[in-house]
């Protein structure tokens, strides 16, 4: 790297803040900043390379196919990283991190992840659970006019990414179909520890929710 890592990270931060201005309900710079906080907390214990973790977190959503034209976004990102002096080898490592964090990819078989990929993955997943996870789920559901809950529409297991993305189920189902599954899909011991606390919080929320509804709740999918 021609420049020092701190200055490179500043450039990347600015690039990402600009890209994330245009995206959807669940993905914005606030999400990126929260994931950064989670990643730093995890990495205190996991001890991955600090630059790769921070740059990986900052960039983890800027080529997401759900938000952008993936190949155009990746092309633009490579040009930007070269411009600010990041070497090709480092660019490949960063793209490896970015491409390993998508939830969808977990339906397509488990890859062997590097330590930094694991830390970024877990930091991103943590932002989908706990109090923030609940807020994001209802925010997302509301933004596409989903029902909150329907006793007649039980949660289901999806066989692939397409089926998962095409679902129009009420928002409560998303807890069973994704959020409650995440604690067992964490890749680092620290990530798992942090996810368990947030998991318990979501179970408490669901109990209270059903209690107030006067409904028998759904059972967890395993
Ligand atoms: P990522 O790939 O960053 O984990 P997603 O695009 O899958 O994110 O989701 C972004 C946010 O929106 C997450 O908090 C996720 O739980 C929430 N979300 C995604 N799909 C649904 C859904 N069907 N119902 C409610 N919340 C959802
Ligand atoms: Ni994310």
């Amino acid at each position: 790297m021609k420049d020092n890592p701190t200055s490179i990270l500043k450039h990347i931060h600015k690039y990402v803040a600009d890209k994330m201005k245009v995206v959807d309900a669940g993905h914005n710079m606030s999400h990126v900043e929260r994931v950064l906080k989670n990643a730093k907390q995890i990495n205190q214990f996991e001890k991955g390379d600090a630059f790769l973790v921070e740059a990986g977190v900052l960039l983890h959503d800027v080529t997401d196919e759900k938000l952008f034209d993936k190949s155009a976004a990746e092309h633009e990102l490579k040009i930007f990283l070269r411009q600010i002096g990041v070497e090709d080898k480092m660019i490949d490592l960063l793209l490896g991190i970015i491409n390993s964090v998508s939830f969808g990819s977990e339906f397509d078989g488990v890859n062997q992840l590097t330590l930094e990929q694991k830390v970024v993955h877990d930091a991103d997943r943590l932002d989908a659970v706990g109090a923030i996870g609940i807020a994001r789920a209802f925010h997302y559901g509301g933004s596409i006019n989903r029902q909150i809950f329907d006793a007649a529409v039980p949660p289901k297991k999806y066989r692939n990414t397409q089926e998962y993305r095409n679902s129009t189920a009420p928002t409560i189902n998303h807890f069973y179909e994704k959020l409650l599954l995440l604690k067992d899909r964490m890749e680092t011991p620290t990530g798992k520890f942090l996810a368990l606390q947030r998991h318990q919080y979501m179970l408490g929320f669901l109990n209270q929710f059903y209690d107030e509804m006067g409904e028998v709740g759904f059972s967890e999918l395993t």
Side-chain angles (χ1 to χ4, degrees):
M1 281 184 276
K2 290 188 206 110
D3 229 337
N4 69 57
T6 314
S7 152
I8 295 272
L9 287 170
K10 272 196 189 141
H11 283 299
I12 295 178
H13 192 285
K14 231 173 115 202
Y15 178 84
V16 174
D18 188 51
K19 296 282 157 211
M20 300 305 280
K21 270 188 205 146
V22 296
V23 294
D24 70 359
H27 299 90
N28 50 30
M29 206 52 197
S30 171
H31 165 65
V32 175
E33 300 284 8
R34 291 191 304 267
V35 178
L36 198 53
K37 170 190 162 285
N38 296 341
K40 285 180 177 170
Q41 192 180 6
I42 295 171
N43 208 37
Q44 269 186 337
F45 301 97
E46 302 298 334
K47 304 202 182 306
D49 179 86
F51 174 82
L52 269 179
V53 166
E54 183 158 348
V57 166
L58 286 172
L59 293 168
H60 85 274
D61 274 336
V62 299
T63 68
D64 189 323
E65 65 184 7
K66 299 193 295 300
L67 312 171
F68 302 102
D69 171 342
K70 188 172 174 61
S71 72
E74 208 169 279
H75 182 68
E76 192 194 318
L77 174 61
K78 280 187 194 164
I79 292 173
F80 161 74
L81 290 172
R82 272 190 207 122
Q83 253 169 14
I84 61 168
V86 182
E87 285 156 10
D88 282 354
K89 230 169 76 187
M90 181 63 84
I91 294 178
D92 286 343
L93 287 174
L94 289 173
L95 290 177
I97 294 178
I98 300 168
N99 288 323
S100 67
V101 290
S102 155
F103 177 76
S105 67
E106 290 179 30
F107 287 105
D108 307 326
V110 182
N111 303 320
Q112 198 53 49
L113 301 181
T114 65
L115 178 58
E116 289 78 15
Q117 287 174 347
K118 289 179 182 179
V119 173
V120 177
H121 170 279
D122 283 6
D124 186 46
R125 295 306 180 266
L126 273 182
D127 200 50
V129 292
I132 302 264
I134 295 170
R136 282 180 90 201
F138 287 103
H139 186 239
Y140 177 96
S143 75
I144 51 172
N145 209 21
R146 292 273 174 88
Q147 299 266 33
I148 292 176
F149 169 75
D150 183 346
V153 184
K156 59 184 262 188
K157 267 194 171 169
Y158 297 106
R159 281 164 299 179
N160 54 52
T161 313
Q162 213 43 48
E163 214 181 84
Y164 166 72
R165 294 206 180 135
N166 289 343
S167 158
T168 56
T171 301
I172 283 287
N173 294 34
H174 186 63
F175 286 78
Y176 301 89
E177 293 166 356
K178 175 175 172 182
L179 307 186
L180 295 174
L181 306 178
L182 293 178
K183 76 165 185 0
D184 292 327
R185 297 191 182 169
M186 301 305 276
E187 297 283 350
T188 68
T190 313
K192 186 157 184 106
F193 175 80
L194 296 170
L196 272 173
Q197 191 262 332
R198 295 187 187 206
H199 181 84
Q200 287 307 117
Y201 187 86
M202 290 193 294
L203 290 181
F205 165 78
L206 290 168
N207 274 336
Q208 175 81 12
F209 180 88
Y210 294 127
D211 200 42
E212 292 179 17
M213 290 286 293
E215 292 275 0
V216 178
F218 296 130
S219 318
E220 280 180 61
L221 300 174
T222 47

